Amino acid sequence: MSILLLGGSPQLPSSSSRLLLHIGEQLALQGHSYAKLHVRDLPARALLLADYDDAAIARAVRAVADADAIVIATPIYKASYTGLLKAFLDLLPQDGLAGKLVLPLATGGGHAHTLALDYALRPVLHALGAKQVFTSIYANAQQLDWHEERGLSLDAPIAARVQAGIEELSTGLFVLQGQRPPVSSDISVPVRSLQGQPYAPHYQAA
């Protein structure tokens, strides 16, 4: 079963993209495969005009359709997810997330927008027919630390929430596949992102 890491940040690298890749790496260590799609890499004119004849747009929409689960990440701007991400979600058919598991992530400058995912993004994901939207994960700037050599470090509270989200999604994928989840998936995973796998300007299989 496959997972699509969907990044909605207009900047790369970014806190949300680093957290997104970190979660993808941990899911991979639990036996799941993933691909990456950064909306900012799509041709702007085709994205804004909803040009389904554009090859890159068609591939991106198909990547969503082919995935069993979506991990979707966005920075919070003006108490909502990015306009870039909205433009992409608007391209999806009405049931574009039907049957899929979705884990929403967001990063922001402080605690003021902690509930932005639940108020702004979660209703859209449900409207697109998501089978299950897991508990949102919001991290503020003080909870994420990036070091060029050590990579991404999470403080204890957000690390616990991230691990819980990974376990929920992983278990859900095993259930969808008709498999019994591992008895214990307590795996020690290095906390890193966008270090061993530098950003490339296109979505690709991990």
Side-chain angles (χ1 to χ4, degrees):
M1 306 200 88
S2 64
I3 302 167
L4 180 66
L5 307 181
L6 178 60
S9 176
Q11 298 181 5
L12 283 175
S14 67
S15 295
S16 63
S17 63
R18 286 167 174 157
L19 181 59
L20 180 65
L21 183 55
H22 166 66
I23 289 177
E25 290 172 341
Q26 294 205 33
L27 286 165
L29 290 179
Q30 296 198 15
H32 306 291
S33 62
Y34 69 83
K36 295 177 285 184
L37 168 58
H38 294 289
V39 179
R40 62 159 278 159
D41 293 334
L42 298 175
R45 180 178 176 82
L47 178 65
L48 293 176
L49 295 180
D51 182 3
Y52 294 98
D53 292 329
D54 182 90
I57 296 295
R59 284 195 302 270
V61 172
R62 189 164 58 249
V64 173
D66 291 344
D68 300 295
I70 310 290
V71 183
I72 183 169
T74 177
I76 298 299
Y77 294 153
K78 300 186 185 303
S80 185
Y81 59 99
T82 63
L84 187 69
L85 180 58
K86 183 182 187 308
F88 180 71
L89 294 177
D90 286 346
L91 293 176
L92 302 180
Q94 188 172 358
D95 60 349
L97 296 179
K100 301 183 189 305
L101 308 178
V102 183
L103 177 61
L105 317 172
T107 56
H111 292 292
H113 300 309
T114 302
L115 298 179
L117 279 173
D118 292 328
Y119 288 131
L121 183 57
R122 182 175 292 270
V124 176
L125 300 176
H126 282 297
L128 288 169
K131 178 182 180 68
Q132 185 170 1
V133 181
F134 294 105
T135 304
S136 304
I137 299 172
Y138 175 86
N140 64 52
Q142 291 71 44
Q143 295 175 305
L144 304 175
D145 181 60
W146 174 255
H147 189 277
E148 289 299 328
E149 295 181 358
R150 295 189 299 270
L152 182 66
S153 297
L154 315 179
D155 76 356
I158 196 62
R161 292 198 63 182
V162 165
Q163 187 60 35
I166 290 168
E167 297 297 338
E168 287 182 345
L169 181 55
S170 181
T171 298
L173 283 167
F174 282 120
V175 170
L176 275 183
Q177 200 171 11
Q179 297 181 2
R180 178 176 296 181
V183 174
S184 174
S185 50
D186 252 349
I187 301 174
S188 178
V189 180
V191 181
R192 62 188 178 84
S193 179
L194 294 186
Q195 184 178 16
Q197 298 179 349
Y199 165 69
H202 54 79
Y203 68 91
Q204 57 189 13

